[in-house]
Each structure stands twice: as structure tokens, then as C-alpha cells.
Amino acid sequence: MNKFIVGYVRVSVKDNGNSIGNQISLIKDYCNSNNLKLDDIYVDNGISGIDFSREAFLKLKKDIELGLISTVIVKDISRLGRELFLSSYYINEYFKLHNVLLISINNEDTTNRVLVNIHSIMNDYYVKEASLKRRNVAINKTLNHEFIGPYPPFGYDIFYFNGLRTLSINENEASIVKDIFNLNFNGYSLNYIAVYLNNILLDDLKVKNKKTATNTWNNRKVRRILENPVYKGDLVVRKSYKYNYKDKKRKYIRPSDYQIIENVFPSIVDKELFLQVNNRLKKYKNYRKAKEKVMFENKVFCNKCGNYMRCYQKHKNNKLEYYFKCSKCLKSIILKKILVAIDENISNLVADVDKRMVINNCFSKIKCYIESIKDSIREKIRVNDLKLKEAYIKNYSGEITQQDFKKVKKSIDNKKKTLLKMFDNVTNFKMDDIDILYKNSIDKLVKKELVESIYIDEQIIVKYSFH
């Protein structure tokens, strides 16, 4: 089977074809000069060299692994990629493993491992420097009171004044923003405001602002407007950042840690109203607990209507508090009250119930739970080992300093130490020690398995797995 000679071109910023066209012409001229037949060209337009999950590059890899390609031609090895380790791997290992000849037109010797590594380091350093320059330019523009976001916040338009990119008030949208603040200040919930905007103002929005009419309002959008300092005329210097220039996702800064420059833009609401509304939001802020499972989640029911009570969390006196709420009866109860009731209930059961019978009935369930906990701890230890390995690589490549590496290593070592201690405690748990089992019934390990369901009424009714 005849194998193909192909070209690969890439540019970081999407263009109208000038840079792409220049690379393609260069590859074609090279093939004509060396009597080579060019069969195909793979093109990635507007994708960074740090990212190797490119559509055309992945297709090229697939064709190489199918044995369809004999030669790949690039303008220079930076077109293949700019990330230090992966670029070196593909040039030094991958192409040789699949018997593919890589040709760099700019006379870069792709067979010399030392030269390839040097070029890869230079390409990687170029991306790092470019990233730092872009970040510094963005920060300097912000400090000069420029708005650098791609789109203006709702209620504003982009406006250029004395060469600076700033914001001006959009009167139609600004009136809606004022309504949102006034409604919330007068005690209306985020959900009510969202419904109000969708139902009452929808026809008005279609006339005044077409882009707004196509988007439905929800609690999150309303809250985002109420918490945005721009509406009192302030500029947030930075809302997110990247820990490393190679990261794809940005990490968001907490609003409490924002660096704010006051009185930069024209304000839509006064500062006092903004402060009162946000104090109210902070006081009543609550949201569904999704990531971490809470004790007795999916086991609490409303005894009046029989509905499942959902678990929520809220901040009270700077402490996190969990509670369950029935969506139909709007009845709620905090987790602490349930725990106290169960502790008292179990203490009363101890005197009347045959302990051995209870243990025998719960033995298999508790044993399975213990094994699942051990598996979970093993997985967490494995993940921490991978994080430590990644930190070693970043330290070796100079992405993080030795001091930062020591901090990361210390943090991971402490986590592993805690996990190993937990593993020992779970492993050494003795089912035969019935008295200790009941004495420590407050512990999650036992209580979670003994309780089958909880019904909330004027009294808390608990059903156990050994009933």
C-alpha cells in the first residue's frame, strides 16, 4: 500500500488565510523543489500550540496509526506544538515509533534529540512570555480605568472616550436593572424577579432590546446582576486567573477577594441600595448541596405529604449549616436537630434491644460500607500521588519555583497522612465490640447504616434497618 506525504499547518489566532496560505505555499514549493508528491494538508486554524487536542492534529494522528502516512512536512517544529514535553515526545518518540519522517522546512534537524529539545524549550518559553505580556497588558488597561471585557454588562454599552474603552449607560436596560434592585430590596425573591422579567417584561424587552428577549431570566442571572459592583460604578480589576499559562480553565476569584477601583463608570444604582441588597443576599444565601453528600441525604421525608425533603446548605454566623426542606409543604428542619433526635432514640433502644441481634442484622450492610470507604480512600491516595507527580514535572520544567513545589508537596503529604490514618481506623474497626459500636453511634460509619428513613412532622420519626 502506498503511503501518503502530507503537510501540517497551524496558527494560534484565527486569520483570513494569510498565514495559513503562506505555510501551505511554503510546503508546496518545498515538495516541488524536491520532486515530492503532496497528497494532503492538515489545517488547524486559530488553536494554540500548547493545546494538542486539535481537530486536524488528532485526525493526522489517527491516519498515522492506521499506517496511511510516511512523511509529515511542517514549516518549523513550533507549528507542530509549543508545549515542551509533548512536543519533544512527538518529535523524538511518536513519529519514529510509527516510522514516519518529520520534515521541518526551516532546516531544523528533527533527528537530533538535543536540538529538538532546545527548540522545544524556546517555543515553550515564547508561549510563556506571550501569556505574561497579555496578562500585564490587560491588568495595565484595567488600572487605567479601561473596560477590557468582550461584552458590556447588561445595562451598559461600550463607549470610547479619549482613546479609552469605557462604558456608557443603556437607558432601556438600565431601567430593568433598577427594577431588579428595587424589587429585591422590597423583599421579593430572586425566583419572583426572574418570573416577573420573563412574563411581564418580555413583550417590552422585544421592542427595546432584541438580544435580551431571546434569553430567559433565571435566579442565577438575577443574582449575578445584584452582586456585580459595576452597577454602583466600580471596576473589578480581576475576576479570574490561570495558575499556569498551560491551563485551559480559569480559576475564579471569590467576590470577597476582588480588587475594586471605585467610581470609574457611571452608576445605575446608588451605593447604599447596592450595599443593602447585597447584605440581604448574604444573609439569606442558600443553595442546593450537589458535590458532597450529606448524612441522611435521600432518607428524609415529610410525614405530612410523603414528599422527599431536599438537602440545602446556608451560611449562618460564618458557619456552614445543612437543612432539609419539603418543596410542597415548605417545612424545613436543620440537620443538627435530626442528629440530636437520633442520638436520643438510639440511646433508648440500647436498653431494650438485643445488641447481638442488631449487629447480626446490620453486619453485611456495615461491612460493605466499610469496604466502600476503604476503596474511596485508596482512590484519593492515588489522585494525590498523581498530583505530586505533576508537581515534580512542573518543578523540573521551571513552571513553578522550588518554594512553591515544597508547599504543594507539604500539602499533599499532609492529606495522604490523614487519609492513611482514616484507612487504619476503618480497617481496625471491630464488629465484635458491641458496646463500643453503640457508644460511638454518633459516628457516620454506624449511624448512616443503621438509619433507613426519617419522617419529619411535629416529632421526628426514625425507621432503622433492623426493624
Side-chain angles (χ1 to χ4, degrees), residues 154-185:
F154 182 80
Y156 289 96
D157 292 322
I158 300 293
F159 176 70
Y160 289 89
F161 179 73
N162 291 337
L164 296 178
R165 190 172 183 264
T166 184
L167 297 175
S168 63
I169 294 177
N170 181 313
E171 294 298 338
N172 292 333
E173 294 180 352
S175 64
I176 298 171
V177 173
K178 290 177 182 177
D179 286 342
I180 291 172
F181 275 89
N182 289 326
L183 285 169
N184 187 264
F185 176 74

Side-chain angles (χ1 to χ4, degrees), residues 207-243:
V207 175
K208 293 180 179 180
N209 193 306
K210 293 182 180 179
K211 70 175 182 181
T212 312
T214 59
N215 299 323
T216 56
W217 289 82
N218 54 41
N219 293 10
R220 184 176 294 178
K221 287 185 179 181
V222 173
R223 179 181 287 278
R224 195 181 298 135
I225 284 179
L226 293 173
E227 292 180 341
N228 195 342
V230 73
Y231 294 110
K232 61 187 176 87
D234 297 343
L235 170 65
V236 180
V237 174
R238 204 176 181 199
K239 291 185 178 180
S240 64
Y241 69 98
K242 284 186 178 182
Y243 180 76

Side-chain angles (χ1 to χ4, degrees), residues 26 79 88 103 110 139 157 164 187 196 208 215 218 241 272 292 312-313 333-334 372 380-381 388 466:
L26 195 65
R79 298 304 91 202
S88 299
I103 297 175
T110 58
I139 291 176
D157 292 322
L164 296 178
Y196 172 78
K208 293 180 179 180
N215 299 323
N218 54 41
Y241 69 98
E272 185 179 349
E292 183 182 342
Y312 295 84
Q313 69 178 25
I333 185 170
I334 62 174
S372 68
K380 288 178 181 178
I381 291 173
L388 185 59
F466 50 82

Side-chain angles (χ1 to χ4, degrees), residues 79-286:
R79 298 304 91 202
L80 194 67
R82 288 190 181 274
E83 202 279 331
L84 174 59
F85 293 103
L86 284 177
S87 297
S88 299
Y89 162 72
Y90 281 112
I91 298 168
N92 292 327
E93 308 292 341
Y94 182 81
F95 289 108
K96 293 177 182 178
L97 180 66
H98 292 87
N99 297 317
V100 174
L101 175 62
L102 175 66
I103 297 175
S104 170
I105 297 175
N106 286 356
N107 297 320
E108 294 167 320
D109 187 0
T110 58
T111 61
N112 189 321
R113 183 182 290 265
V114 175
L115 287 177
V116 166
N117 290 339
I118 290 172
H119 282 296
S120 298
I121 291 170
M122 292 172 63
N123 291 329
D124 190 276
Y125 181 76
Y126 170 82
V127 177
K128 183 178 181 179
E129 285 296 299
S131 176
L132 289 172
K133 285 178 182 177
R134 285 195 298 270
R135 186 182 70 177
N136 291 334
V137 166
I139 291 176
N140 288 333
K141 282 187 175 182
T142 307
L143 294 175
N144 288 330
H145 297 185
E146 278 198 68
F147 178 78
I148 62 171
Y151 306 105
F154 182 80
Y156 289 96
D157 292 322
I158 300 293
F159 176 70
Y160 289 89
F161 179 73
N162 291 337
L164 296 178
R165 190 172 183 264
T166 184
L167 297 175
S168 63
I169 294 177
N170 181 313
E171 294 298 338
N172 292 333
E173 294 180 352
S175 64
I176 298 171
V177 173
K178 290 177 182 177
D179 286 342
I180 291 172
F181 275 89
N182 289 326
L183 285 169
N184 187 264
F185 176 74
N186 290 323
Y188 291 97
S189 67
L190 302 182
N191 186 61
Y192 177 90
I193 297 171
V195 171
Y196 172 78
L197 293 174
N198 284 326
N199 296 336
I200 307 301
L201 296 179
L202 190 59
D203 294 335
D204 192 36
L205 290 174
K206 286 179 181 177
V207 175
K208 293 180 179 180
N209 193 306
K210 293 182 180 179
K211 70 175 182 181
T212 312
T214 59
N215 299 323
T216 56
W217 289 82
N218 54 41
N219 293 10
R220 184 176 294 178
K221 287 185 179 181
V222 173
R223 179 181 287 278
R224 195 181 298 135
I225 284 179
L226 293 173
E227 292 180 341
N228 195 342
V230 73
Y231 294 110
K232 61 187 176 87
D234 297 343
L235 170 65
V236 180
V237 174
R238 204 176 181 199
K239 291 185 178 180
S240 64
Y241 69 98
K242 284 186 178 182
Y243 180 76
N244 186 280
Y245 66 98
K246 296 180 183 179
D247 293 341
K248 294 182 182 180
K249 292 185 179 180
R250 301 184 68 84
K251 295 183 180 180
Y252 288 92
I253 300 171
R254 290 182 297 181
S256 59
D257 296 331
Y258 281 166
Q259 181 184 347
I260 293 176
I261 304 174
E262 296 184 350
N263 304 321
V264 175
F265 307 122
S267 61
I268 293 178
V269 298
D270 60 74
K271 294 182 184 295
E272 185 179 349
L273 175 60
F274 183 89
L275 183 63
Q276 290 175 339
V277 166
N278 276 270
N279 285 339
R280 175 188 171 85
L281 284 175
K282 188 176 180 181
K283 183 178 179 181
Y284 295 103
K285 186 176 182 180
N286 63 78

Side-chain angles (χ1 to χ4, degrees), residues 330-376:
L330 301 180
K331 185 186 299 181
S332 64
I333 185 170
I334 62 174
L335 178 61
K336 285 182 181 179
K337 286 188 178 180
I338 296 176
L339 294 175
V340 170
I342 290 173
D343 291 341
E344 293 175 356
N345 199 277
I346 289 179
S347 298
N348 294 332
L349 286 172
V350 172
D352 303 325
V353 178
D354 183 352
K355 297 177 183 179
R356 174 58 61 184
M357 180 192 72
V358 174
I359 295 300
N360 288 338
N361 287 337
C362 299
F363 180 81
S364 59
K365 188 176 280 191
I366 294 177
K367 189 176 179 181
C368 290
Y369 181 70
I370 289 174
E371 288 302 319
S372 68
I373 290 291
K374 289 166 73 174
D375 289 340
S376 175

